[in-house]
Amino acid sequence: MSDTLLVEAEERRRMTLEALDPEEQARRGQYFTPARAAEIMAALPRDPSTAEVRILDPGAGTGMLSVALVHRLLADCPGTRLHITAVEDDPALGAALVATLRELEGLGDVSTELVDENFLVWADTTSERFDFVIQNPPYAKLSANSVDQRRLRASGVYVPNIYAAFLTLGGQLLKPGGQQVAITPRSWMNGTYYARFRRAFLEDVGIDAIHTFESRSKVFGDTGVLQESIIVSATKGQHPDTVEVSTSTDHIGEIVTRTVPYEQIVTPDFVHVPATAADAEAVAWMQANAQCTLEDLGLAVSTGRVVDFRSRDAIVAAHEPGAVPLIHASHVRQQGVGHPIKPRKPEWFVPRDAQDRKMLVPGGAAYVLVKRFSAKEERRRIVAGVWESEAEAAFDNKVNFIHQDGQGIDSAVARGLTAYLNTSRVDAYFRVFSGHTQVNATDLRQMRFPSRSALRALAAATSPQGDLDAALDAVLDAKGVAA
């Protein structure tokens, strides 16, 4: 099979994309895979061990993924007979997909079948099982009361959106030892929103390979996707000892590949993506040195309660009787919180009624504040500072705050937590752990921390001008255990 078919498939993809109605495309969540990204996907699974191979392409679009996988398999395994089942119910794609399938059949060792049905319906009724599933599922939402969601739940499939449904059903339609490769947003890999899906999916399959892209925008640049995309290859019913992790700047850049122990990728809570050796070292360090969650420490984290447009009457620019500090993200610096600083936003909160008073936190103890969003010029994804005052305060919803049962926490523990969160160790780990562009309260709940005693020791060992990383290493070395 020459590269000509890939070139033709890419041109067909491009022309079809230009002809689509943008609103209908957005409603369906369609983002067609460029040829080079499809080739990366097709290269990840292992060669088949049988002479006849059944391939499923759910939500096949124009057939680009089928072309890429057939191109790879016929080159690596000549003489293998391939059968493709392409499932696609969008009538606007029918002509392009039929043309692609006819060209594949013209290769001689390929037979095809076009299923003009909703994949979520067809997958629930078919008895077919496959050696390979290759897919770029729709990225659309799945409303809680939709027909599709009710059908999925009746079949025991609990997912928050359509792409997770496609991943789950694709795994279920594999033969034992069959392989699925999919390109999706990275968001399913951590957070409580995907927890139930993630656990069920990773019980059904084992991850063999992951490919990441350093650029968020270039892979699907002609479709306007800005989410962080990731390719995952997995095997039905098998959990390997290692995972091949590769990365490139985008779908056309040079690919760098490394091998990582499985336990450094998949944990009970989330999937790490250590694209580099430094990433892997960050995960290994965290696993060895931080075993406690905030809950283990007797602490909790919440998002600031004040939403400016809902509390306009209580937010004022200048101090007046009854006003308390209103802490914005701009007040939070590494280690400390400065207020007032006279930023462009008002800095004071005057509770006018009982509802406003619910926005306040008690004084008399310390809180650890963490910015939810970091500015581009800041070196750290996580920026934390200690707020400590005898007076009440109000926290804007652009910051998270760590507390104990709604009250402040021990000052030494707060200063130790803040120092820990501001280390490069934690920053490096968070970049592997989270695919989000912000620091959510959920992320902080899932992260790991040293013990209370280690945090107090870290508070005693640090100063505003001190080296936080050196202080953290010294504290953990002095304890001589995974603190």
Side-chain angles (χ1 to χ4, degrees):
M1 176 179 176
S2 70
D3 290 340
T4 303
L5 197 55
L6 274 169
V7 173
E8 292 174 351
E10 172 62 15
E11 179 64 14
R12 188 176 295 120
R13 181 196 77 92
R14 187 188 63 77
M15 293 179 64
T16 301
L17 185 61
E18 290 177 353
L20 288 180
D21 175 61
E23 291 186 3
E24 178 65 11
Q25 181 191 354
R27 186 187 70 80
R28 287 179 171 269
Q30 295 170 324
Y31 302 100
F32 301 135
T33 319
R36 180 56 186 139
E39 288 183 284
I40 293 172
M41 294 175 65
L44 292 184
R46 300 179 304 277
D47 285 339
S49 58
T50 57
E52 296 186 8
V53 174
R54 299 184 64 81
I55 299 168
L56 173 64
D57 188 348
T62 61
M64 174 60 75
L65 293 178
S66 290
V67 171
L69 186 56
V70 168
H71 183 273
R72 175 264 169 109
L73 292 178
L74 292 186
D76 290 356
C77 311
T80 302
R81 294 183 296 278
L82 308 177
H83 179 79
I84 298 168
T85 300
V87 184
E88 179 57 67
D89 67 345
D90 185 352
L93 306 179
L97 182 54
V98 167
T100 298
L101 296 179
R102 284 177 179 168
E103 289 183 352
L104 289 175
E105 287 187 336
L107 298 173
D109 288 322
V110 182
S111 58
T112 70
E113 175 188 3
L114 175 56
V115 178
D116 182 13
E117 290 187 45
N118 178 342
F119 175 67
L120 302 182
V121 177
W122 177 83
D124 191 41
T125 58
T126 185
S127 60
E128 295 186 64
R129 294 297 180 266
F130 298 88
D131 301 286
F132 290 95
V133 175
I134 187 166
Q135 61 170 313
N136 175 3
Y139 296 2
K141 293 181 179 180
L142 192 60
S143 63
N145 296 316
S146 67
V147 173
D148 284 336
Q149 185 69 280
R150 291 198 298 270
R151 182 185 297 110
L152 288 164
R153 289 176 178 173
S155 300
V157 177
Y158 295 89
V159 292
N161 54 35
I162 291 178
Y163 87 73
F166 270 63
L167 282 177
T168 298
L169 296 173
Q172 292 179 354
L173 294 175
L174 288 171
K175 297 176 182 178
Q179 299 174 80
Q180 173 171 252
V181 59
I183 184 168
T184 70
R186 181 179 163 181
S187 51
W188 68 268
M189 293 185 163
N190 72 297
T192 55
Y193 188 62
Y194 291 92
R196 187 169 186 174
F197 154 73
R198 185 169 56 246
R199 293 188 188 108
F201 181 67
L202 294 174
E203 285 177 3
D204 192 36
V205 302
I207 294 177
D208 304 304
I210 293 174
H211 184 89
T212 68
F213 302 99
E214 294 177 13
S215 169
R216 287 178 178 270
S217 60
K218 292 183 179 179
V219 179
F220 295 104
D222 55 3
T223 62
V225 175
L226 295 178
Q227 291 198 59
E228 184 171 358
S229 299
I230 194 163
I231 301 171
V232 173
S233 179
T235 299
K236 175 86 166 183
Q238 297 179 15
H239 293 79
D241 295 328
T242 60
V243 179
E244 293 296 316
V245 180
S246 55
T247 187
S248 59
T249 301
D250 49 33
H251 57 296
I252 59 176
E254 180 183 358
I255 296 173
V256 178
T257 303
R258 47 194 302 277
T259 301
V260 182
Y262 191 81
E263 63 272 14
Q264 289 188 14
I265 301 287
V266 181
T267 76
D269 296 318
F270 36 77
V271 179
H272 293 112
V273 189
T276 66
D279 291 343
E281 195 277 333
V283 174
W285 184 94
M286 185 64 66
Q287 291 175 339
N289 290 285
Q291 305 299 325
C292 299
T293 63
L294 287 175
E295 184 179 11
D296 294 333
L297 297 172
L299 304 176
V301 60
S302 302
T303 300
R305 298 165 184 161
V306 177
V307 181
D308 52 9
F309 69 87
R310 294 176 183 165
S311 300
R312 289 191 184 97
D313 294 341
I315 298 173
V316 296
H319 185 271
E320 63 180 68
V324 303
L326 174 59
I327 308 302
H328 298 289
S330 58
H331 294 115
V332 181
R333 301 287 189 266
Q334 283 197 11
Q335 298 296 90
V337 177
H339 183 283
I341 59 172
K342 300 190 182 304
R344 287 177 294 178
K345 297 182 70 173
E347 296 183 277
W348 302 95
F349 187 88
V350 183
R352 310 292 187 184
D353 53 31
Q355 187 63 35
D356 286 344
R357 293 210 62 82
K358 291 181 180 179
M359 303 293 106
L360 307 183
V361 297
Y367 298 87
V368 176
L369 303 187
V370 182
K371 289 186 179 184
R372 288 182 57 202
F373 304 90
S374 298
K376 290 181 180 179
E377 61 271 15
E378 287 173 321
R379 296 182 299 112
R380 299 278 189 261
R381 285 281 298 278
I382 297 182
V383 179
V386 175
W387 171 257
E388 195 165 6
S389 172
E390 291 299 317
E392 295 174 302
F395 300 146
D396 181 80
N397 77 324
K398 297 300 189 298
V399 298
N400 299 306
F401 65 102
I402 297 174
H403 56 91
Q404 185 168 341
D405 296 326
Q407 308 286 319
I409 64 180
D410 175 82
S411 178
V413 173
R415 288 184 287 112
L417 267 174
T418 301
Y420 174 74
L421 287 169
N422 285 323
T423 62
S424 62
R425 293 284 196 186
V426 171
D427 183 73
Y429 173 76
F430 187 80
R431 293 171 188 271
V432 179
F433 156 77
S434 176
H436 302 305
T437 57
Q438 59 180 286
V439 181
N440 295 316
T442 297
D443 296 328
L444 294 170
R445 292 188 191 104
Q446 292 184 317
M447 287 185 65
R448 295 296 186 267
F449 300 83
S451 66
R452 273 181 174 261
S453 63
L455 292 172
R456 288 193 183 95
L458 181 58
T462 56
S463 65
Q465 292 78 34
D467 186 330
L468 298 180
D469 294 327
L472 177 60
D473 289 342
V475 166
L476 297 179
D477 288 345
K479 286 190 169 290
V481 295

